[in-house]
Amino acid sequence: MERLPGFRDFYPDPVPSGDALAWSAGLRQHIQATWRRVAQRYGFVEYDGPPLEPLELYTLKSGEEIVQQLYHFVDKGDRAVALRPEMTPTLARMVASQERHYKKPLKWFAIPQLFRYERQQKGRLREHFQFNADIVGESDPAADAEIIALLVDTLRAFGLGPADVVVRISSRQAWQAFYRQQLGRTETDPAHEYAFYQVIDKLERTPREETCRRLRELGIAWEQVEAFLHQCSPTQELQVVLNELRDRGLQDFVQLDYRVIRGLAYYTGVVFEAFDRKGEFRAIAGGGRYDHLIHLVSGGRVDLPALGFGMGDVVLTELLKARGLVPAPQLRLHVFCLVEEPSLRREVLQLAQQLRDAGWAVDLPLGPEKPDKQFKRARDAGARFTVSLTREADGTKVAMVKDLQRREQIRCAPMEVLRRIQDATMSSGA
Ligand code: HAM
C-alpha cells in the first residue's frame, strides 16, 4: 500500500535513504522541542484545537487560495467539514468563545499538523507541522515587535544567524493607502482589493509581463507599483516596530521590504515573512496583524485585535540540512541489561525495573539471544552502559557494569549497579 502523495512517514534514526518523504522522527522532536522552549521563554502558553473544523471557518476570510487547497468533505451528519489548513481561524474561534476567562493580552502558541492540497513542490507538501504564536488583545505596535522578536529568536535557537535568514517586514495598511490612492477613492470592492494584493504577493514568482498584464486588468500601472516598492520609507507604525527590534539588538535580522504583502485575506496591518538570505527556499515563516478576524468569526460578538505568525517544519528542515545545523541523533539508551545467563533472567528483570524507576532508559533482550548479538544490539542502540549478572561458584550474584564510552568496567554487587551508574555519569557530566 502506497503513502498518499505529499504526506510524510516519520522514521526513527537512522532514516532509510532514497525516499524523499521518509523523514526523521528525531529531527521532528528536536524542532518541536525548540519551538516550545523559545515560546515559553517569551511567556507564551500552549493551546490546541481539533484537526477537523466546519468548512465555513475557512471560507469566511482566509481567501481564495487556501480555500482551493482545502481537504473537505460532508460528514455522516451532513456537515460540511475541512481538515485545518492553518491554525489562525481555529484560534479566532476559540478566543471568541472563551476570551472572557483570560486576561489580555493573550500570548498563545500551538504546534498543529496542517493539511493543504497543494501542488507538491520544493518546500511545499500536503501536510506539515506549523509553529503558531499569536498575541490577542493588544493593538500597540510593541506587540508586533514582540512577535517578530520571537520569530527571530526561534530561528536563532536553531543556530541560524543574520547571514542565514532575514525577516522582511511590510504593512498591509501602507499597501491599502497606495491602492486607494491609485483608484482615487476610499470605498473599494474587497474582491478587487484582494485580487490586487494577490498580484503583489506573487510578484517575485511571476514573470514581469504577466504581473503588468494582471495589474492593467485591475486598473493599476506597474510603474506606480515599482515606485512604491522602491521608496522604502517606513510608516509610523513600522518605524516603532523597527526601533523596538533595534533596541533588542535584532536589527541585523530584519529589513523593511514592501514586496511582502501576504496571501491570506484577513491581514490588516504589519505583515512579515522570514526567508533564507540566499533566496534558495520558499518562505520559512509568515504572519502579521489581523485585527478584524475575531470580530468576523464571532459574528460581531467579540472584537479583539490580534497578530501572530506560522513557521512550518518543511522549509525549516531543508534549510537546517543545507546549513549543517541538524544535530546528531540523540542517544536512545542509557543501559542495556544483558541476559547472558538465562537462569538469572528474573534478577536481570528486577535490576532493569530498578534502573527504569530511577529514570534511566533501559532495554533488554525479550527472547533468547546469543550474548554477542545482545552486545551488538546494545551498541547499535547507542547504550552508554551494559550490565550483566553472573553467579559465582559459591552462588553469590555479581554484576558487571561496562561503560562503553570510557571503555571501563566495574564488578559490583547487583544492588550497587544503580549507584555506580549514577556516579559514572556524574563524573563524566553525562
Ligand atoms: P502561511 O504563510 O500560509 O501562514 O504559512 C506559514 C508557513 O507555513 C509558511 O511560511 C511555510 O513555512 C509553512 N507552510 C505553509 N504551507 C505549507 C505547505 N503546504 N507545506 C509546507 N509548509 C507550508 C499561515 O498559515 C498563517 N495562518 C500564519 C499566521 C499565524 N498568521 C497569523 N498567525
Side-chain angles (χ1 to χ4, degrees):
M1 187 81 78
E2 293 285 313
R3 179 181 51 214
L4 286 169
F7 285 78
R8 294 169 290 176
D9 292 324
F10 290 90
Y11 283 95
D13 291 303
V15 176
S17 59
D19 176 355
L21 292 176
W23 284 49
S24 159
L27 180 54
R28 182 177 81 169
Q29 160 66 13
H30 165 69
I31 287 175
Q32 298 192 358
T34 306
W35 284 344
R36 277 203 173 82
R37 200 173 59 243
V38 186
Q40 283 158 359
R41 240 196 260 160
Y42 270 71
F44 282 67
V45 290
E46 189 158 1
Y47 72 99
D48 200 0
L52 201 65
E53 288 276 18
L55 175 63
E56 200 198 355
L57 189 62
Y58 308 107
T59 52
L60 266 181
K61 194 69 188 175
S62 286
E64 191 55 29
E65 191 170 319
I66 219 160
V67 168
Q68 279 170 7
Q69 296 169 347
L70 283 173
Y71 274 91
H72 65 99
F73 57 96
V74 176
D75 76 2
K76 289 178 183 166
D78 259 347
R79 297 174 202 92
V81 294
L83 283 174
R84 58 187 177 193
E86 56 157 337
M87 197 61 178
T88 315
T90 297
L91 172 69
R93 182 183 59 67
M94 288 172 60
V95 168
S97 140
Q98 301 294 344
E99 56 83 23
R100 62 192 178 284
H101 299 296
Y102 297 93
K103 284 226 159 46
K104 317 296 177 302
L106 313 179
K107 293 174 99 180
W108 285 12
F109 82 95
I111 305 180
Q113 189 172 22
L114 305 176
F115 305 89
R116 297 184 188 182
Y117 200 92
E118 288 216 43
R119 193 168 57 78
Q120 201 184 314
Q121 51 194 299
K122 191 170 161 231
R124 290 291 177 269
L125 301 174
R126 292 190 173 161
E127 145 282 314
H128 71 283
F129 288 91
Q130 197 189 81
F131 173 38
N132 275 254
D134 293 81
I135 300 178
V136 179
E138 182 55 74
S139 51
D140 196 292
D144 301 67
E146 173 83 346
I147 208 89
I148 295 170
L150 168 59
L151 169 53
V152 169
D153 275 342
T154 305
L155 295 169
R156 286 179 62 219
F158 287 104
L160 294 161
D164 301 307
V165 285
V166 60
V167 180
R168 293 154 59 178
I169 308 180
S170 176
S171 160
R172 267 277 169 99
Q173 265 171 350
W175 272 112
Q176 188 174 54
F178 168 84
Y179 170 80
R180 290 184 173 174
Q181 183 208 344
Q182 291 302 304
L183 294 194
R185 51 177 188 259
T186 49
E187 276 313 305
T188 54
D189 166 15
H192 185 273
E193 186 172 335
Y194 181 57
F196 170 65
Y197 295 163
Q198 287 282 296
V199 177
I200 304 301
D201 185 53
K202 307 227 163 7
L203 204 66
E204 291 174 272
R205 282 175 278 139
T206 313
R208 185 53 33 87
E209 311 82 70
E210 176 71 9
T211 301
C212 294
R213 188 185 58 73
R214 287 192 198 161
L215 286 173
R216 242 190 337 270
E217 282 171 12
L218 294 168
I220 294 168
W222 161 247
E223 292 70 27
Q224 303 294 327
V225 169
E226 199 179 25
F228 180 79
L229 285 170
H230 282 119
Q231 44 112 8
C232 247
S233 60
T235 60
Q236 220 178 5
E237 187 183 37
L238 283 173
Q239 192 59 62
V240 175
V241 174
L242 292 171
N243 290 349
E244 285 238 344
L245 290 166
R246 192 200 51 222
D247 293 345
R248 297 168 192 238
L250 299 178
Q251 66 280 359
D252 294 345
F253 283 91
V254 297
Q255 138 192 330
L256 182 70
D257 189 336
Y258 283 126
R259 282 173 301 176
V260 171
I261 193 164
R262 302 285 294 141
L264 291 157
Y266 47 67
Y267 292 112
T268 54
V270 170
V271 284
F272 50 88
E273 279 179 334
F275 287 92
D276 65 294
R277 281 271 184 198
K278 289 190 191 158
E280 284 174 63
F281 302 97
R282 296 283 299 262
I284 311 163
R289 192 172 263 286
Y290 51 96
D291 282 348
H292 306 319
L293 186 64
I294 295 173
H295 189 253
L296 186 73
V297 168
S298 70
R301 228 176 11 85
V302 181
D303 196 5
L304 285 169
L307 68 158
F309 70 82
M311 177 187 296
D313 65 335
V314 178
V315 179
L316 180 66
T317 299
E318 288 173 349
L319 181 60
L320 295 180
K321 284 186 173 163
R323 301 286 175 273
L325 292 170
V326 174
Q330 286 258 322
L331 287 189
R332 203 155 52 83
L333 265 198
H334 297 122
V335 185
F336 195 98
C337 293
L338 305 161
V339 184
E340 291 181 333
E341 176 57 64
S343 68
L344 289 175
R345 184 171 177 86
R346 188 165 158 260
E347 287 77 0
V348 173
L349 288 178
Q350 285 169 352
L351 182 61
Q353 188 69 29
Q354 187 198 13
L355 292 168
R356 283 172 171 166
D357 281 349
W360 298 102
V362 178
D363 207 356
L364 42 78
L366 299 178
E369 218 170 69
K370 289 211 177 83
D372 56 337
K373 278 244 172 76
Q374 294 183 34
F375 193 72
K376 185 171 178 320
R377 229 141 65 74
R379 274 206 177 285
D380 289 350
R384 162 89 189 261
F385 301 97
T386 59
V387 181
S388 56
L389 297 184
T390 47
R391 206 190 308 265
E392 300 283 83
D394 65 359
T396 51
K397 287 154 212 150
V398 178
M400 182 70 82
V401 180
K402 277 195 186 153
D403 185 335
L404 304 185
Q405 189 179 310
R406 289 185 173 174
R407 297 165 191 270
E408 288 170 6
Q409 52 185 33
I410 316 158
R411 263 170 72 91
C412 61
M415 60 188 298
E416 287 276 287
V417 170
L418 174 59
R419 194 178 55 79
R420 293 300 188 117
I421 286 178
Q422 280 166 340
D423 288 352
T425 47
M426 249 171 341
S427 65
S428 66

